[in-house]
Amino acid sequence: MPSSPNTLITLSSHSLMPLFPHTLITLSPYTKMRIFFLSLALLSCSYSAICQMNTLRLSLSEVVTLAQSDAPDVLIANTRLNNNYWRYQSFLADYKPQILLDATAPDLLRSIAPIVLPDGATAFVDRSQITSGIDISLRQQITATGGTIFASTGFERIDLLGSGGQTSHLVAPISLGFNQPLFAYNPLKWNKRIEPLRYSERTKEYAEQMEGVAFDAADLFFQVLIAQLNLAAAKQEKVNADTLFSISKGRFEVGKIAETELLNIELRALNADAAVAQSSLQVQTSSERLRNFLGIKEAVIFDLETPASIPTFLVNAETALKYATLNRSDVVNFKRRLVEAEGAVEEAERDRFNINMFGNFGLSQTDKTISDALGKLLDQESFQLGVQMPLADWGKTKAQREIAASNLELTRVSVEQERINFERDVLIKVQQFDLVRNQVKLAQRAYEASIKRENITRKRYLIAKIGITELNLAISEKEQARRTYVETLQAFWLAYYELRTLTLYDFASNKSLVKIPEGF
């Protein structure tokens, strides 16, 4: 079993005997010397490993800062934010002109294909030709109507191979057109309302994730701190218990205390040994969890500072609710869900039939040379109006509209209830925060009083003024008061970081916590 940095490794001939409980081991002087030097070597290796481990002395704020900069959870949050950023940029690009290039150079074709002759007959003809062309088009979607306008210019050339081969050109210097759905659902209009809300929601979720990291870091900080304080208290209790046991043995030998009292004191000393071992294991376990959370790869020893004081700022419930409403992603989520539900209703209503209008105007010509083609351009126009609608769908369209309307009403009810729960949660956390602050002050005073009482009781026991029962009670009360104080201190700071997460506002420094890293 690997030893902790605070564990002393001791090897002797007696430590080997429990492995062979029914065997008497007799060691020669040479064997004893080998064991002695082996013990020194192991102790040297253990000390060298401990010295190579870095000791990090950190405060609570430093642990939180370290977590929010290098923790693996932060890297995940940054990746999600990056994905959200580029998804939003892709959305913005949908509302900008799209310039497309379509070019072919060359397209070689050699085949036997059926050709319709001038007299109407069909014959198989050997074809050998090279086709090349280029087309540049500009497209722009119209948000207000949901339609598309476009313009293009193009050129195409065909070279017939073989004997009697010839070249022809097709030029289309300008072509304008539009495609406009009538009375249809307009996704461009609704996405323009939904996607900015989604982007704002994801951005605020990033700030919430960062504060969640701060909360988890504070929780792990206090787990290690409490384990270290418990270990320090256990070691001090072991020293006190051993001293008391040594004094009590002398009293027992002269008949001043009974054997039952001596056994009680000896039991306390044994329990102190067990408490030290258990506390050492807890320090190792909690330290490893904190190290993994912070993303520290090498082995380190944490030397954590107990927060000397707690902030004295006051939190007004209405102010906290105002910042929570302004900063939290939940509020944006409520708006987005309602807009999406309203868009679904319109989509169900407008998808009953589809009327589409298409028009195009352009100039084009073909000839053996480009200059001849450009000199006698011909105009070309096209217009199309299409209608598509069900004549009998057996109530399917109506059912879809009713489902969308029901979902909208359900979303409204759910959002309203979630909004009430959200506001109530913020108000309750503010009230609990003030209560926990008062509990810390009371627990601190109780702990200070228990220390004085235990010192006085121990001195009175040493001069035989009181019995062991009163001393044990004072020691237990002091230990309980110490644990209560540290636990209430932990509860306060966790409540503090939870309040920051709920409001995304730091009341200690009076600044908003909604922030975006550089580069986004």
Side-chain angles (χ1 to χ4, degrees):
M1 177 183 300
S3 61
S4 68
N6 299 314
T7 303
L8 179 63
I9 302 177
T10 305
L11 294 179
S12 65
S13 60
H14 301 287
S15 64
L16 302 176
M17 295 183 64
L19 300 176
F20 308 92
H22 304 295
T23 304
L24 180 61
I25 299 178
T26 303
L27 301 177
S28 64
Y30 175 74
T31 302
K32 292 181 180 180
M33 183 174 295
R34 290 186 61 188
I35 292 176
F36 173 74
F37 284 110
L38 177 61
S39 301
L40 290 179
L42 290 175
L43 284 172
S44 176
C45 293
S46 175
Y47 179 77
S48 176
I50 293 173
C51 291
Q52 292 176 359
M53 296 175 64
N54 296 322
T55 299
L56 294 180
R57 182 169 180 81
L58 299 171
S59 64
L60 174 59
S61 61
E62 290 172 339
V63 168
V64 170
T65 302
L66 184 61
Q68 289 184 328
S69 59
D70 296 329
D73 288 2
V74 173
L75 300 180
I76 296 175
N78 287 334
T79 302
R80 290 174 177 169
L81 181 65
N82 184 63
N83 291 340
N84 180 53
Y85 172 80
W86 290 111
R87 188 180 298 112
Y88 186 68
Q89 295 302 314
S90 176
F91 153 74
L92 293 178
D94 293 337
Y95 297 83
K96 298 177 181 179
Q98 305 295 314
I99 302 177
L100 305 175
L101 171 65
D102 184 8
T104 303
D107 179 9
L108 173 63
L109 175 64
R110 297 190 63 182
S111 65
I112 298 176
I115 299 296
V116 178
L117 301 178
D119 60 358
T122 301
F124 288 99
V125 178
D126 183 10
R127 299 175 59 191
S128 298
Q129 65 182 44
I130 297 178
T131 304
S132 58
I134 184 172
D135 183 83
I136 300 177
S137 61
L138 173 67
R139 294 180 176 270
Q140 173 66 62
Q141 298 187 93
I142 308 302
T143 305
T145 64
T148 304
I149 59 175
F150 56 87
S152 65
T153 181
F155 163 80
E156 186 173 353
R157 170 175 171 163
I158 299 178
D159 293 299
L160 298 179
L161 305 179
S163 60
Q166 60 182 4
T167 300
S168 60
H169 300 84
L170 172 64
V171 293
I174 184 65
S175 178
L176 304 174
F178 68 92
N179 185 4
Q180 178 60 58
L182 301 178
F183 313 112
Y185 172 75
N186 185 355
L188 291 174
K189 181 185 71 174
W190 287 98
N191 287 342
K192 196 170 184 178
R193 296 178 58 187
I194 293 172
E195 291 302 325
L197 291 175
R198 193 188 305 277
Y199 180 68
S200 176
E201 179 184 354
R202 297 292 183 263
T203 301
K204 293 181 178 182
E205 281 181 354
Y206 172 79
E208 294 167 9
Q209 292 168 359
M210 294 298 291
E211 289 307 306
V213 169
F215 178 88
D216 294 338
D219 187 22
L220 293 173
F221 171 89
F222 274 100
Q223 289 183 24
V224 177
L225 178 63
I226 290 175
Q228 291 178 344
L229 293 177
N230 289 342
L231 178 59
K235 289 181 176 180
Q236 184 60 44
E237 175 60 21
K238 172 176 169 51
V239 172
N240 294 337
D242 290 344
T243 302
L244 190 61
F245 181 54
S246 177
I247 295 174
S248 299
K249 284 194 298 184
R251 288 186 176 182
F252 173 73
E253 291 174 357
V254 298
K256 289 186 177 181
I257 61 173
E259 185 178 6
T260 55
E261 183 171 344
L262 178 63
L263 292 175
N264 193 339
I265 296 173
E266 183 180 7
L267 179 61
R268 175 172 287 277
L270 295 176
N271 290 337
D273 290 335
V276 170
Q278 180 63 31
S279 298
S280 298
L281 179 60
Q282 187 61 34
V283 167
Q284 292 181 9
T285 303
S286 58
S287 297
E288 187 66 16
R289 285 198 295 264
L290 178 59
R291 184 182 69 84
N292 291 335
F293 181 78
L294 296 178
I296 300 176
K297 307 241 180 248
E298 63 275 5
V300 295
I301 300 175
F302 291 105
D303 183 11
L304 304 183
E305 302 176 8
T306 304
S309 60
I310 59 177
T312 58
F313 63 86
L314 297 178
V315 180
N316 181 271
E318 294 182 358
T319 303
L321 184 57
K322 180 189 73 173
Y323 286 120
T325 304
L326 181 65
N327 295 333
R328 286 282 300 191
S329 67
D330 304 71
V331 179
V332 184
N333 174 270
F334 299 154
K335 296 179 183 178
R336 176 183 59 80
R337 287 160 55 191
L338 286 173
V339 174
E340 286 179 338
E342 292 171 358
V345 171
E346 180 172 312
E347 184 177 9
E349 291 177 347
R350 292 182 176 270
D351 277 354
R352 290 176 292 175
F353 51 85
N354 183 18
I355 301 178
N356 194 67
M357 184 169 57
F358 175 84
N360 180 71
F361 170 81
L363 299 174
S364 64
Q365 185 56 274
T366 180
D367 210 317
K368 294 181 179 180
T369 64
I370 298 178
S371 59
D372 292 341
L374 290 174
K376 48 184 178 180
L377 292 173
L378 298 177
D379 63 303
Q380 58 182 17
E381 302 87 15
S382 65
F383 179 81
Q384 178 182 353
L385 181 65
V387 179
Q388 182 181 8
M389 61 181 297
L391 296 178
D393 63 357
W394 317 112
K396 180 177 181 180
T397 302
K398 180 180 179 181
Q400 291 176 340
R401 293 200 307 269
E402 292 299 325
I403 291 173
S406 298
N407 288 337
L408 174 58
E409 185 61 27
L410 177 61
T411 302
R412 286 174 177 168
V413 174
S414 300
V415 164
E416 185 60 28
Q417 186 60 45
E418 290 176 24
R419 190 189 303 275
I420 293 174
N421 294 338
F422 170 76
E423 294 176 355
R424 183 185 297 116
D425 191 26
V426 173
L427 296 177
I428 290 176
K429 294 302 181 183
V430 172
Q431 295 174 357
Q432 292 177 347
F433 181 75
D434 292 334
L435 291 176
V436 172
R437 189 206 306 273
N438 294 331
Q439 290 177 355
V440 172
K441 296 178 181 178
L442 294 175
Q444 184 177 11
R445 289 199 295 266
Y447 179 44
E448 292 171 353
S450 67
I451 293 176
K452 295 179 181 179
R453 180 176 181 272
E454 192 267 345
N455 289 334
I456 294 174
T457 305
R458 185 179 298 276
K459 292 177 181 178
R460 295 188 65 193
Y461 177 80
L462 293 177
I463 60 176
K465 292 293 185 180
I466 59 174
I468 188 61
T469 303
E470 289 84 353
L471 178 60
N472 287 340
L473 180 60
I475 293 175
S476 298
E477 289 179 349
K478 185 196 74 169
E479 179 61 19
Q480 181 60 40
R482 182 191 66 81
R483 292 179 180 272
T484 301
Y485 169 64
V486 177
E487 289 172 357
T488 54
L489 193 63
Q490 177 188 24
F492 170 82
W493 283 107
L494 292 183
Y496 166 73
Y497 282 104
E498 186 175 16
L499 186 62
R500 284 174 40 140
T501 305
L502 279 175
T503 61
L504 292 183
Y505 190 82
D506 186 1
F507 292 92
S509 57
N510 292 322
K511 65 178 181 180
S512 174
L513 297 173
V514 180
K515 53 188 177 181
I516 304 299
E518 295 182 1
F520 291 93

